[in-house]
Amino acid sequence: MRIKKPLTFAIAMANVAVVSAWAQEDSQQDDDWALEEVTVTATKRETNLMDTPVAISAFTQEELDRQGIKNVKDLGNTIPNVDIGYDASQSSPVISMRGVRSTNTTEFGDPAVGLHFDGIYSSRPQSAMAMMFDSERVEAMRGPQGTLYGRNSTVGAINVISKRPVIDEFEGSVGVELGRWNQELVKGVINIPVSDTFALRASFMDETRDSYLTGYYDVNQWDNRYIDADSVGASVLSDDASKTFIQANNAEGATDYQLVRADADDFYGNVDQQAVRIGALWEPTDDISWYAVAEHYQDSSAGGINTIDCEKAEQREDGVNCETYYGSGADEYTVAVNVPGELDLTMTSFRSNFRWDFSDTMAFVYNTGYAVQERSNLIDIDAGRNTWDMSMSITDSENVSYSHELQLQSTGDGPLQWITGLFYFHETTDLNGYFLASLSDATFWRQPDRTIEAGAIFAQGTYDLTDTLHLTVGGRYTEDQKSDEGGNNLSCVRDWSYPWGGDEYGCFPAYDQDTFNTFSANHFADSSIYTVDTYNDASQSWDSSDFRIGLDYDLTDEVMLYAYVASGFKSGGLGDVVIQYEQDPDTAEYIYDDEGNRVVQQVIDTSYDEEKVITWELGAKGTFLDGRLNLASTFFFSDYKDMQLAAPDTAYSFYAIEREGENAGDITTEPYVVYLTKNAASAEIMGLELEFDWAPYPNGRISGFATWMQTEITSDFWNRWNFNNQSLFEISDYGLAHDNSNEELFRNLKGNELPVSPEFSFTINYDHTFELAHGGAIIPFVGIHWEDDSYLTYWNVDKHDFPVGDTSAYDDSRDSFWMVNASVKYVSPDDQWNVEAYGNNLTDEVVPYYADGSDGLVSGPFSTPMSYGVRFNYNF
């Protein structure tokens, strides 16, 4: 799909013509039911949404509540060309915008979409889990926002803006929501005017909900150290329950294949989260305003887990499907584990916005933020799909970040409006965790000091060339530095003579289940039992100069056309600097030099380069029918260089001993698969977005969007295949299927589409207000989203040839889908209270949001099944 320039030009012109035609034919009618103007801060100053030359969507708290949106990860179907998945292993959303995302959600990676709260940059994607409540609005800007919003905004930015205290009014509200799976949500707000210049606002939200998964604990899996503690009070299935896949492979000779039904209130997929916010607003004069807010969020749920795509599994020719793994009746929402989910995610933040209009034409703004994120979690990685029985734990992680931004901006009515500023950001991460393959070995990560420092200077101005033509020019210079000090990868492996005649198992009792299960549940969280394998000390810096040049033209008083070209930059990243040492081929012992130092065999650096993009955008915005119809149309073309793409890969090999019977065999090498980010040479993205908001009659409202998009990796990008390797290449041996020296495993990904990039999609929302005789109102609402088929990874399996032939059981494709939400609300005559019944995903669509290919299966997170409930709110 190499994008053709004539086609590009034709689509761009059609984009302008649509809105221009409306401008010529707009009829003059009664404006009794005109739409309210929406104020946004996309240009870091308050502007009317329809006068802002940026592709931007904005949502009020009422709109968020109506669609059941409680955090950023729920926004997926509401914003053009946005998809939001979930990385269960890191308890993190994965935000994709216009086909661009970052699936490296570890402390190594940076998001592709900049996330901001009250204009303050938030570096870790886990912060998107924080509950959105008592918000003024949420703004989603598409296209490079690097000039004003800075780092990691190559494809866009999302800004969640909380409601500020109101100085001259006391107000408050409480709300309750009850729903399926024993959902209980309570929220409240109180606004207290302390004086004529000072006010406080406090708000909170608390939500619990049982898991919607059919979850079991499988007592026949290798690691059963957790089972008894987590199955208290649970019922046991009948003795004739079908064997699971793991039971059939690990429990030879067993006669009792019991599955223990998990308690839904603390199983994977449940909800247990709380948040509280306290804000203060001080306005001592008409020229000074200071807003400060402290916020705390706690997630104590079991976290998420990937489950099997049963529809794809059914297409396997060997008869292996979901029932093979989890018993009769299993579907995408069934899972049998032996390791319980545990998550303790705490985020505490402080944000401050200070503004001083020190003259009639200029203002000084100082924004600062401080945040602490603490996390520990435990997850069953294989979820009963692999006999190696794998789990992962972040034993403790603390991320501390702070930022400062100083601005000077114009405030007058002159022909030049400008803003300039300085930005500084600092982040430090201290993380410990381990990966456990219960039959084989354990690997520990110790990263006590990973640091990011970023500084920038920026300026942007808009000059009125004429009364109707305006020129915008902006620039930003950024420096990023990342460092890792004292970091190690450590291993806990067995003595290779055990259990084939040896008496000691070394660090790990591989293939000795009885000894293994005598260990405590936190045995492998102790780094002192491990041996250091690698030293990861590294430091690297990147810098970039980015720009924005745009023109906007007032076609009429109500219609504007705009065009711009802008660049974006996302810094590179540090991977583990892996040091391999020489080993004796006969004994596998390390070789030392005369000074007692281990001899280095090779150094493998898994760092990656920065990502850059240039985007051209042509748009039109107009308000028609005397304010009753808003239309916004945007054509965009993005050219990426060194796009960062992440996936599991073989980074290096380690020595192992191949056994033959009871005797030692030969020294060999085995692949070590880690999560790597690579730079694809280039990619192109082209699309069209049309947004509309229409009040066709006094009590009706229709809104939504329609999109068209094409994406392509446009240059050679050779990779050793890393998606369902063994099945696609029909290789039984894991090592051979991940051997970097085997040229048959390599494929050129040139021509592949980028993930979650459907060619077409649309959303349409409709509500109608029925005014009742006594003054109350009934407001039904329905929202429909449709999305074309797409790929969930950049592998695009079905575009390549493999020995297996038919790849349908093992590929990364996602079928088109519908999503329908609806509600009906009753509002009291004085608007003091309201009650609303709602239903989400009413057609019970099963939609995958990410694909992992391993064990001959495709797995990942899926959409929440049909949910329903009732909401009640009271204002005082």
Side-chain angles (χ1 to χ4, degrees), residues 91-110:
S91 305
S92 171
V94 178
I95 304 174
S96 173
M97 186 177 285
R98 291 181 173 178
V100 181
R101 69 182 185 185
S102 173
T103 54
N104 187 346
T105 57
T106 69
E107 78 283 1
F108 287 129
D110 290 308

Side-chain angles (χ1 to χ4, degrees), residues 458-519:
F458 64 92
Q460 183 166 302
T462 299
Y463 182 73
D464 298 337
L465 298 174
T466 69
D467 290 342
T468 57
L469 183 63
H470 318 283
L471 170 68
T472 296
V473 178
R476 187 183 190 102
Y477 176 74
T478 302
E479 288 186 355
D480 266 18
Q481 181 172 357
K482 298 180 180 181
S483 63
D484 184 355
E485 296 183 6
N488 301 113
N489 284 7
L490 305 92
S491 63
C492 176
V493 299
R494 62 173 171 163
D495 182 330
W496 289 103
S497 64
Y498 180 88
W500 293 283
D503 296 326
E504 298 293 333
Y505 58 76
C507 178
F508 200 95
Y511 303 109
D512 185 344
Q513 187 178 25
D514 291 339
T515 301
F516 176 86
N517 281 292
T518 63
F519 292 155

Side-chain angles (χ1 to χ4, degrees), residues 429-443:
T429 300
D430 179 359
L431 177 143
N432 294 285
Y434 65 88
F435 175 85
L436 177 63
S438 299
L439 274 76
S440 176
D441 56 19
T443 301

Side-chain angles (χ1 to χ4, degrees), residues 159-197:
N159 191 12
V160 181
I161 303 167
S162 59
K163 280 190 178 180
R164 296 191 171 198
V166 180
I167 288 180
D168 58 357
E169 183 178 354
F170 175 87
E171 63 180 23
S173 66
V174 293
V176 176
E177 181 176 321
L178 303 175
R180 192 181 182 188
W181 307 298
N182 295 319
Q183 182 210 16
E184 297 179 0
L185 183 150
V186 180
K187 61 182 179 178
V189 178
I190 187 167
N191 186 95
I192 303 174
V194 179
S195 69
D196 293 339
T197 61

Side-chain angles (χ1 to χ4, degrees), residues 408-437:
L408 280 178
Q409 55 181 256
S410 62
T411 59
D413 297 326
L416 176 64
Q417 297 296 315
W418 52 269
I419 180 173
T420 186
L422 298 171
F423 173 81
Y424 175 78
F425 172 79
H426 179 93
E427 175 186 78
T428 300
T429 300
D430 179 359
L431 177 143
N432 294 285
Y434 65 88
F435 175 85
L436 177 63

Side-chain angles (χ1 to χ4, degrees), residues 13 49 85 184 251 279 391 398 523 541 560 591 618 803:
M13 291 300 99
L49 173 67
E184 297 179 0
S391 60
E398 181 180 69
H523 175 82
S541 61
M560 67 172 293
I591 298 175
L618 181 63

Side-chain angles (χ1 to χ4, degrees), residues 550-567:
L551 284 171
D552 57 277
Y553 174 66
D554 299 324
L555 188 63
T556 70
D557 290 341
E558 303 296 338
V559 177
M560 67 172 293
L561 309 177
Y562 68 90
Y564 74 79
V565 57
S567 67

